[in-house]
Amino acid sequence: MKFSELAVIPFLLGLGSALTISDKSTNSSSALLHGLMYEDINRCGDGGLYGELLNNRAFQGENRTLDSYNGVDSAKLALVDEPLSDALPKSMKVSGSGFYNEGFFGISVKKGRKYTARFYAKGGSNFNVALKGVSSGDELVSAKAEKVSKSSRLFPSESNGFQLYTAVLVPTEDAPDVDNGLYISFDGGEATFNFVSLMPEHFKGRENGLRVDIAETLNDLSGKFLRFPGGNNLEGQTIERRWKWNETIGALIDRPGREGDWTYPNTDGIGLHEYFEWCEDMDLTPILGVYAGYSLGGEEVAEDDLQPYIDEVLNELEYCLGDYNTEYGKKRIANGRKEPFDVKYVEIGNEDFISKHYDYRFPAYKKAIKEKYPDLTIIATTEIGLEFPEDEVIWWDQHNYQNPEWMIDSFDMYDNYPRNNTKVFQGEYAQTHLGAGLGDEELETPNMLSSASEAVFMLGMERNSDQVLAMCYAPTLQNVDATQWTPDMIQFNTESIAKSTSYYAHKLLFSTAGDKILELQDAPFDPLYYVANLDTKNNRVHVKIANPTDKDAEFSAKVDVKGFENAKATAQSISSTNPNATNVLGQEEQATLQSQDVSYKNGELKLNVGPYYVGVVTLQQ
Ligand code: AHR
């Protein structure tokens, strides 16, 4: 769209005044302002981001089943008490000639992609592995499985009388659809199997890593931190079901997995090491959530019983940070990681405002952690019953799932927030309800009204990013075949992905961060909301604008920033006349990021702002 072509309602500034963006006064902007929140919800970990393609690979969870397995040629399958390891007590006995696993929701088979199959077997011989169409019976690729004689960090070659086998499969054609299975056949009439796994190549070539297309989409957001492993999924429905860090490390057959909070078993294939590897591969600062004595079903650890749970966290931190002379640091090194992990931020629990006794739990965790690790930043998940100390920086994680009115009204929420050592971490937010006269119905996918109104809230936080130090949308990922929570930022199924309007808005706002927030003089807000930052490292000014209304407008401003009088201006935006414009998996995108014309001469900036709009002008020196 050309600037001159659009009939616009001028964005009227105060009488006789003009908006000026100035470097006369600035506030600092947090280097960690934008980031990602991740937990296994909506089957987005196992069955999604985690690179494993087979469901139920090791018969984990509280109700162990043979889900996803089928016998071939009348072979009988039975769950038997033949442990592969202490962590994996049940195995599958196959009487007959073979079986197949149909994947989570099918298996995506692509030409030229390298698939590594692995399984542990006791008995049987002459194992053959194939990818085949389940309904068609068509073989896509097959190979003889070989015994693995050398153990590696993640895959011991033998355990409890089971032998590890592997085969590499490289299909020469794409499968027509995802109705495919991994088939294993053998001689001998009977064999027992466990840990039946199929892994394609992963993001950045990591072994036991992340699905490439989802990981690349996350990486493209340009986030600065990753909050993990929850969310509710940290807490467990009961104390016993909490996320236990020490059961997520080491060889994959030594990880028992757990019944996750979102009603399905977690393999813990993405365990503590894998989270840090993910951070390193995407250049994200870890924000590590630790279990803090409260579980979602309402159980709380009593004050007198708390110490072992505090010790559990201290052990976790020693595992991450300790050297060879420490008990747990030594274990990390034995697990293949010599250097400490980059732990600087530790979040105590998740949404512990729901619990009754954060008043004794939070101070106890904080004291114990700070005594041993004084340089760590502690993040609280409630303020209730707490006195935040003034001489110590503490972050306070706040969560808001709201409607458009709330998002827009909250633009100035932090303007007069006290500037003290209690820093804000907006650890979850999303516009979840239609609102704005459209009712209170839940949104299924983000749309241009929700994305533009979230952007207003985000610009308000960025404007105050000397005090609001970090923000992340939640939930991030939605497997459309197993959805539990909507809306989410990114939809996917077994082989495709859809980037929502909020994904694009976040990508735009995240990739245009600065280290200083510029002063806005004579700045009226509503209907347009904006913020301007200076990126001193890359010599850029960014002017970020959101319009959550159906009106076109003209944005004009004087840029009074030294050295930028004749800078080169470019602009990108996402906008639609339709507030319900949304991007849904399998359908054409209704809104996406586009380059936009912008006029900039002698410090005078002019830009057409469309309806339901999020845009950024970049001035490059
Ligand atoms: O993001 C979904 C859930 O919302 C998170 O698990 C929890 O922290 C919040 O209530």
Side-chain angles (χ1 to χ4, degrees):
M1 158 174 80
K2 280 222 162 49
F3 177 72
S4 54
E5 281 171 4
L6 191 73
V8 293
I9 296 174
F11 167 43
L12 296 172
L13 303 171
L15 201 61
S17 70
L19 167 66
T20 301
I21 298 168
S22 158
D23 58 357
K24 295 273 172 321
S25 128
T26 59
N27 60 265
S28 63
S29 184
S30 165
L32 285 189
L33 187 57
H34 304 117
L36 307 176
M37 146 65 176
Y38 173 82
E39 68 173 322
D40 198 334
I41 179 174
N42 296 321
R43 280 196 187 261
C44 74
D46 292 313
L49 181 60
Y50 179 42
E52 177 60 72
L53 296 181
L54 300 188
N55 185 30
N56 199 18
R57 70 181 177 192
F59 318 105
Q60 290 159 300
E62 283 175 5
N63 304 311
R64 296 170 195 271
T65 67
L66 287 173
D67 277 0
S68 297
Y69 290 92
N70 301 278
V72 293
D73 295 337
S74 70
K76 298 252 172 326
L77 311 184
L79 209 52
V80 291
D81 291 318
E82 289 185 41
L84 170 61
S85 61
D86 290 350
L88 302 177
K90 296 270 188 196
S91 299
M92 175 177 70
K93 179 160 278 175
V94 182
S95 307
S97 61
F99 69 94
Y100 68 93
N101 181 304
E102 61 202 19
F104 286 91
F105 301 93
I107 300 175
S108 168
V109 178
K110 295 288 173 204
K111 176 181 169 180
R113 193 175 283 173
K114 183 175 151 199
Y115 295 82
T116 303
R118 291 186 187 88
F119 58 92
Y120 288 83
K122 198 158 63 166
S125 62
N126 199 21
F127 293 93
N128 197 69
V129 176
L131 280 164
K132 286 188 194 175
V134 172
S135 306
S136 68
D138 293 346
E139 183 173 296
L140 300 155
V141 59
S142 72
K144 196 170 150 30
E146 304 290 346
K147 273 188 186 174
V148 176
S149 52
K150 206 164 159 262
S151 291
S152 61
R153 181 175 68 87
L154 292 167
F155 304 104
S157 62
E158 291 172 32
S159 179
N160 279 354
F162 284 81
Q163 167 67 48
L164 175 62
Y165 292 84
T166 189
V168 172
L169 302 166
V170 185
T172 51
E173 296 297 333
D174 288 351
D177 53 36
V178 297
D179 179 25
N180 305 306
L182 182 79
Y183 286 69
I184 299 182
S185 62
F186 58 95
D187 291 346
E190 193 169 273
T192 306
F193 293 84
N194 204 329
F195 196 87
V196 185
S197 161
L198 182 69
M199 301 254 192
E201 289 161 306
H202 297 144
F203 180 65
K204 302 232 164 145
R206 280 275 181 201
E207 191 173 36
N208 194 42
L210 308 179
R211 179 173 137 176
V212 174
D213 58 343
I214 302 179
E216 282 175 349
T217 304
L218 293 175
N219 194 32
D220 286 350
L221 273 169
S222 310
K224 296 290 185 296
F225 68 85
L226 177 68
R227 172 177 177 240
F228 63 88
N232 292 349
N233 205 30
L234 168 70
E235 298 165 83
Q237 290 293 335
T238 62
I239 295 170
E240 182 44 34
R241 280 194 193 166
R242 69 192 179 281
W243 188 81
K244 296 178 189 156
W245 72 272
N246 53 319
E247 295 187 355
T248 73
I249 55 174
L252 294 177
I253 65 166
D254 292 333
R255 305 185 193 183
R258 62 186 272 268
E259 197 63 32
D261 282 47
W262 294 98
T263 67
Y264 52 89
N266 292 176
T267 64
D268 288 333
I270 301 185
L272 195 62
H273 278 242
E274 287 77 16
Y275 279 116
F276 288 116
E277 288 172 354
W278 169 1
C279 289
E280 286 169 8
D281 289 345
M282 295 192 194
D283 205 9
L284 301 168
T285 295
I287 294 187
L288 174 65
V290 295
Y291 180 74
Y294 170 70
S295 291
L296 210 61
E299 286 183 9
E300 266 179 282
V301 180
E303 192 163 10
D304 290 347
D305 301 333
L306 202 55
Q307 195 55 46
Y309 295 88
I310 293 176
D311 291 344
E312 191 172 289
V313 170
L314 293 178
N315 295 344
E316 180 176 2
L317 294 174
E318 185 174 290
Y319 183 88
C320 295
L321 297 168
D323 64 18
Y324 190 76
N325 300 314
T326 61
E327 183 184 347
Y328 290 94
K330 196 173 186 165
K331 287 196 174 162
R332 183 195 71 243
I333 294 166
N335 280 337
R337 172 70 187 209
K338 196 157 173 264
E339 298 306 319
F341 291 124
D342 177 27
V343 177
K344 296 197 183 74
Y345 301 89
V346 178
E347 176 156 11
I348 311 297
N350 173 61
E351 292 190 344
D352 276 17
F353 56 81
I354 299 171
S355 68
K356 293 191 196 77
H357 293 118
Y358 203 57
D359 51 345
Y360 67 72
R361 288 187 290 105
F362 178 76
Y365 277 89
K366 181 168 83 70
K367 182 166 178 287
I369 294 172
K370 284 299 238 186
E371 263 170 21
K372 208 163 166 208
Y373 302 100
D375 294 338
L376 293 185
T377 297
I378 301 291
I379 303 175
T381 61
T382 179
E383 59 164 355
I384 295 166
L386 293 180
E387 298 271 319
F388 285 114
E390 280 182 11
D391 56 351
E392 188 186 336
V393 169
I394 292 193
W395 290 21
W396 171 26
D397 181 0
Q398 305 182 28
H399 297 174
N400 294 96
Y401 295 102
Q402 290 287 352
N403 60 33
E405 291 93 329
W406 187 94
M407 291 284 166
I408 296 162
D409 285 354
S410 301
F411 173 71
D412 60 1
M413 184 157 100
Y414 294 113
D415 283 4
N416 300 313
Y417 196 84
R419 264 42 187 177
N420 59 27
N421 277 337
T422 303
K423 303 294 179 187
V424 175
F425 173 28
Q426 188 71 44
E428 296 180 25
Y429 62 86
Q431 192 213 295
T432 47
H433 291 79
L434 293 174
L438 298 169
D440 204 31
E441 204 182 307
E442 266 180 32
L443 268 185
E444 286 187 10
T445 47
N447 60 31
M448 275 317 301
L449 169 61
S450 72
S451 304
S453 50
E454 281 158 10
V456 173
F457 182 46
M458 292 168 73
L459 298 188
M461 289 194 280
E462 179 161 352
R463 175 181 157 80
N464 290 288
S465 53
D466 55 331
Q467 193 63 21
V468 181
L469 298 190
M471 64 174 97
C472 46
Y473 181 101
T476 307
L477 295 170
Q478 175 194 4
N479 186 333
V480 297
D481 290 315
T483 297
Q484 299 167 312
W485 180 294
T486 65
D488 306 274
M489 191 189 263
I490 298 162
Q491 288 191 321
F492 66 88
N493 63 11
T494 300
E495 61 181 358
S496 310
I497 197 158
K499 299 169 185 172
S500 70
T501 51
S502 287
Y503 172 85
Y504 285 121
H506 278 71
K507 181 172 145 96
L508 184 58
L509 299 180
F510 280 20
S511 60
T512 48
D515 50 319
K516 289 187 169 26
I517 301 302
L518 295 165
E519 183 186 12
L520 302 179
Q521 297 162 355
D522 296 316
F525 298 111
D526 185 10
L528 299 190
Y529 298 84
Y530 37 87
V531 69
N533 73 42
L534 179 63
D535 172 355
T536 52
K537 197 166 147 222
N538 296 301
N539 296 323
R540 288 181 194 144
V541 165
H542 299 116
V543 184
K544 305 183 173 189
I545 304 154
N547 176 13
T549 74
D550 61 354
K551 305 272 184 301
D552 293 313
E554 179 185 294
F555 177 86
S556 59
K558 168 95 192 135
V559 179
D560 183 15
V561 180
K562 195 159 183 292
F564 282 86
E565 299 77 6
N566 294 304
K568 181 173 180 301
T570 53
Q572 262 208 316
S573 58
I574 181 167
S575 169
S576 175
T577 50
N578 177 7
N580 298 314
T582 190
N583 297 338
V584 176
L585 192 76
Q587 295 173 23
E588 204 182 320
E589 285 188 333
Q590 294 182 355
T592 191
L593 283 177
Q594 306 212 314
S595 299
Q596 192 193 336
D597 284 352
V598 51
S599 154
Y600 187 64
K601 231 187 220 164
N602 300 327
E604 296 291 341
L605 174 65
K606 279 193 181 4
L607 178 83
N608 285 343
V609 171
Y612 305 111
Y613 171 101
V614 183
V616 177
V617 177
T618 299
L619 303 178
Q620 177 74 61
Q621 230 178 28

